[in-house]
Amino acid sequence: VAAEEAAVQHWVSAQRDLYRKGSLPQDRIARLDRAGFVWNVPDKHWHDTLKRFCEIKVEDRVSALENDPFLAHWVLLQCRLWRQNRIR
């Protein structure tokens, strides 16, 4: 199983590299898009975390952040980046 996982990880990495270089054929891009392929993992992670934060009712956010150190750190980081004009 470990060898199969390594092979899949290598293939996924190769697809992303080809995509970034503009060398991946359009039909493969379309097929991977339809399959839900994630091209940019950090962006996906950021959007997933934002969605998680937005799903918390405004009145429950303080207690939710107190109980979720990861989410609290993420929110503080976004605030810091915004103050530094570094947020996208």
Side-chain angles (χ1 to χ4, degrees):
V1 175
E4 288 178 17
E5 282 184 27
V8 170
Q9 288 173 348
H10 177 75
W11 181 84
V12 166
S13 181
Q15 302 314 298
R16 288 186 179 128
D17 287 343
L18 290 169
Y19 179 79
R20 277 191 288 273
K21 293 175 184 174
S23 301
L24 193 62
Q26 200 61 40
D27 64 313
R28 284 192 191 176
I29 293 171
R31 288 171 63 191
L32 289 166
D33 281 342
R34 283 193 303 273
F37 192 83
V38 175
W39 297 106
N40 188 316
V41 175
D43 275 358
K44 170 89 168 86
H45 180 67
W46 188 90
H47 286 283
D48 288 348
T49 306
L50 176 63
K51 181 180 177 193
R52 212 168 105 207
F53 177 72
C54 290
E55 287 173 348
I56 301 168
K57 291 180 189 173
V58 172
E59 59 272 13
D60 296 336
R61 285 189 180 155
V62 171
S63 63
L65 293 176
E66 288 172 350
N67 294 318
D68 189 338
F70 170 80
L71 191 57
H73 175 76
W74 184 86
V75 168
L76 290 173
L77 177 62
Q78 302 315 303
C79 291
R80 183 179 313 128
L81 292 172
W82 181 79
R83 282 194 306 273
Q84 296 170 350
N85 292 320
R86 292 175 47 205
I87 203 162
R88 296 189 262 168

